[in-house]
Amino acid sequence: MLCLKTLPHQIALGFACLTLACASTAAPAEKTAKGAKTGAATPTQVQHALQQSATPTPVAGPRTADFIVAVVNSEPITRNDVQTRTERVLRAMQDQGVQTLPTPEQLAPEVLERLIVEKAQVQHALETGIQVDDLAVTQAVTNVAQQSGGTLADLQAELRRQGISEARFRREIRDQLLMQRLRERDVDSRVKVTEQDIDQYLAKQNQRPDQGPAQALNLGHILVAVPENASAAQVRELEQRAEQAVQALRNGVDLATAAKRYSDAGEPEMGLRPLERYPQAFVQAVGTTPEGGLVGPLRTPAGFHILVVLDKRTAGVPSVVTQNHARHILLRPSAQLTETQAAAQLQELRQRIERGQASFAQLAQQYSQDGSAPQGGDLGWSSPGQFVPEFEDALNRLQPGEISQPIVSRFGVHLITLEERRQVTLNPRQQREMLRNVVREEKVEKAYATWLQELRSQAYVEYRNTEERGL
């Protein structure tokens, strides 16, 4: 069977965009009330902001005369490129709660280096045959809208409000996907985890104190969506609905029941995941909240969010998880089959299933190009983190018996159906397998950093009067 069960990337694309979309327009008073960090920027916060900065955000202020400040393998980077990205980084640091920000002049050299590395990655991806179909870009854009609790039309309206063209947004999303696929091919797929690696990780964790900042969260989530251009009266009414959801939870109503009654989002349990895969606004809001605690309503452009801390982990893996039993049909793109064409074929299969002309298992046996085809596409029971993010996110949005729309992943284009969902207590062997994913993530991050340094050293970079020009 195709090895779908690999660790998610360093950050899910939808959440990276959501972090900026939500946090950049949140009221300062709300961020302060939720315990945002204060003080000068730490190196970690600067790097986090640099990572987030690839997502397009509003450009403030007039632009000065533009000129080239660096050339990467014959492709230019301009002063305005650096200024625009610097503004994004500063905005992201503000969203992290940093009060003492570096000056644009202090940040500019790091931003320029980040742009050089990104351009080198995109160039290398294209030169070595990596492509991103329009379908994958559209899916990523749709995921951004869904993760923010809105529709594609809501996202497009927000982009217009921020002065970002849809073409520019799609272009930057495409570049992110190119870099993601390059990393998957040249780094992620080559990292292996041995039993000795797991033993060493456990030994290291046993030497650490039990208390410390959370490294992973599982949040319950209820969203009361606020439409764009809602009147003040409508906002007050929706806020009251959110308060009713909070009161219901405090009165002992379980999360699933409250979500069904009040939420405009999908599956209420977001799943145990590293902090980087949550919106920064959510992480800040629940920073000091203990397990079982409730936060909200938290206001963002999407609406009012109620968060329940289901699990907060400093290390290791949970003992109780939500598992999914799924089937899928996989079509692999080729020179004769684009991702768009594969998606169209899967859409036809989906319609056949819905019309009762064939079962999902029958069509999986006939058409799927995965090793699970003889079993009708059966993937068995899976725990969180076992599938790549785009596959797992789509699976988590399904209810038992539902069939997804075609989903693009690094492996091809999938049609997914959820058979069953359950909560289970993991035995020691299963916990160790989940821990393998944690160890793999650490090894991947180290390998990726080394790989980036090598790629950067191979690129031809010409700086052009950066010191005299304020960079």
Side-chain angles (χ1 to χ4, degrees):
M1 184 177 73
L2 171 67
C3 183
L4 276 172
K5 300 183 178 181
T6 54
L7 189 74
H9 315 308
Q10 74 274 24
I11 189 165
L13 178 63
F15 278 115
C17 297
L18 170 62
T19 299
L20 290 172
C22 290
S24 64
T25 52
E30 292 172 343
K31 290 188 285 186
T32 303
K34 299 306 179 182
K37 298 176 183 177
T38 59
T42 65
T44 299
Q45 288 171 321
V46 173
Q47 289 305 310
H48 188 214
L50 283 166
Q51 288 176 357
Q52 289 183 324
S53 67
T55 303
T57 53
V59 177
R63 283 283 169 264
T64 58
D66 203 8
F67 47 80
I68 295 173
V69 296
V71 177
V72 184
N73 296 327
S74 79
E75 289 193 29
I77 296 175
T78 69
R79 184 172 187 265
N80 280 354
D81 292 334
V82 177
Q83 283 187 323
T84 300
R85 184 63 67 89
T86 299
E87 291 167 3
R88 297 183 191 176
V89 174
L90 290 171
R91 187 176 297 107
M93 292 169 66
Q94 286 179 319
D95 296 337
Q96 293 177 41
V98 178
Q99 292 184 341
T100 306
L101 297 172
T103 65
E105 292 73 22
Q106 290 171 326
L107 265 183
E110 287 188 73
V111 170
L112 176 58
E113 181 60 26
R114 181 82 182 186
L115 289 171
I116 289 171
V117 172
E118 288 179 5
K119 192 169 287 289
Q121 290 179 80
V122 171
Q123 291 171 350
H124 187 60
L126 294 172
E127 289 168 0
T128 56
I130 295 178
Q131 297 179 348
V132 173
D133 194 284
D134 286 343
L135 174 67
V137 177
T138 299
Q139 177 183 303
V141 172
T142 302
N143 286 343
V144 173
Q146 291 175 338
Q147 296 288 5
S148 62
T151 64
L152 191 57
D154 294 332
L155 175 62
Q156 291 167 342
E158 180 65 16
L159 290 174
R160 288 194 297 271
R161 188 187 68 80
Q162 295 182 3
I164 302 171
S165 71
E166 187 173 355
R168 173 186 161 195
F169 186 77
R170 289 180 63 89
R171 183 173 64 251
E172 298 200 19
I173 292 292
R174 188 183 299 274
D175 284 349
Q176 290 185 43
L177 291 173
L178 283 168
M179 290 187 287
Q180 174 183 302
R181 292 187 179 186
L182 178 65
R183 169 179 165 151
E184 291 165 356
R185 186 193 68 186
D186 289 0
V187 182
D188 294 23
S189 62
R190 300 178 183 178
V191 172
K192 309 299 179 186
V193 178
T194 66
E195 295 300 317
Q196 183 180 8
D197 291 331
I198 299 175
D199 292 336
Q200 290 175 347
Y201 179 87
L202 287 170
K204 183 173 63 176
Q205 294 301 315
N206 289 335
Q207 295 173 359
R208 295 179 179 178
D210 292 337
Q211 300 301 319
Q215 297 174 355
L217 291 170
N218 183 11
L219 297 181
H221 178 223
I222 291 175
L223 168 67
V224 177
V226 176
E228 186 183 8
N229 300 324
S231 66
Q234 287 176 307
V235 172
R236 285 195 299 271
E237 181 179 345
L238 292 168
E239 185 175 16
Q240 291 175 357
R241 178 179 173 84
E243 292 287 0
Q244 291 171 2
V246 170
Q247 194 58 49
L249 291 169
R250 288 176 176 163
N251 290 340
V253 176
D254 65 85
L255 177 64
T257 301
K260 187 174 181 180
R261 185 182 305 167
Y262 297 103
S263 185
D264 297 312
E267 181 68 25
E269 184 173 341
M270 302 183 76
L272 190 74
R273 61 185 73 186
L275 301 189
E276 303 85 53
R277 291 196 61 208
Y278 274 108
Q280 192 68 15
F282 286 12
V283 174
Q284 291 176 354
V286 302
T288 59
T289 306
E291 288 187 16
L294 186 152
V295 173
L298 174 67
R299 182 71 162 96
T300 76
F304 296 97
H305 305 263
I306 297 97
L307 306 174
V308 181
V309 181
L310 302 176
D311 199 353
K312 178 181 284 190
R313 300 215 163 248
T314 58
V317 296
S319 57
V320 178
V321 299
T322 299
Q323 291 186 330
N324 293 315
H325 178 200
R327 295 177 185 268
H328 81 139
I329 301 172
L330 171 68
L331 296 183
R332 300 175 188 270
S334 64
Q336 295 75 37
L337 184 71
T338 67
E339 289 177 347
T340 300
Q341 291 169 335
Q345 289 187 22
L346 289 174
Q347 193 65 260
E348 291 178 4
L349 297 183
R350 187 176 188 271
Q351 292 171 0
R352 289 176 59 184
I353 296 168
E354 291 180 337
R355 289 195 295 262
Q357 296 173 338
S359 69
F360 195 101
Q362 289 171 336
L363 295 182
Q365 288 176 334
Q366 185 175 356
Y367 292 100
S368 183
Q369 296 171 337
D370 182 35
S372 64
Q375 292 78 44
D378 195 344
L379 296 173
W381 287 100
S382 63
S383 297
Q386 288 187 248
F387 296 133
V388 292
E390 50 271 48
F391 188 99
E392 188 162 287
D393 290 344
L395 179 58
N396 288 338
R397 287 196 296 268
L398 295 176
Q399 295 300 319
E402 287 185 337
I403 303 174
S404 73
Q405 296 295 327
I407 301 297
V408 180
S409 83
R410 70 181 74 169
F411 302 105
V413 188
H414 311 259
L415 199 63
I416 311 167
T417 186
L418 175 63
E419 299 278 314
E420 302 172 82
R421 180 173 283 137
R422 69 183 183 186
Q423 278 203 330
V424 298
T425 299
L426 301 180
N427 59 39
R429 180 186 61 79
Q430 291 170 321
Q431 286 184 309
R432 187 175 177 89
E433 282 305 304
M434 286 196 69
L435 194 59
R436 185 183 300 277
N437 289 340
V438 177
V439 176
R440 186 176 187 279
E441 182 177 22
E442 286 194 356
K443 294 189 69 174
V444 164
E445 289 303 322
K446 292 177 182 177
Y448 182 54
T450 301
W451 177 84
L452 275 183
Q453 290 176 350
E454 294 174 354
L455 184 65
R456 170 64 174 84
S457 67
Q458 295 167 5
Y460 170 76
V461 180
E462 176 190 348
Y463 295 94
R464 296 192 177 177
N465 301 318
T466 54
E467 293 184 5
E468 291 82 354
R469 306 275 185 142
L471 292 173

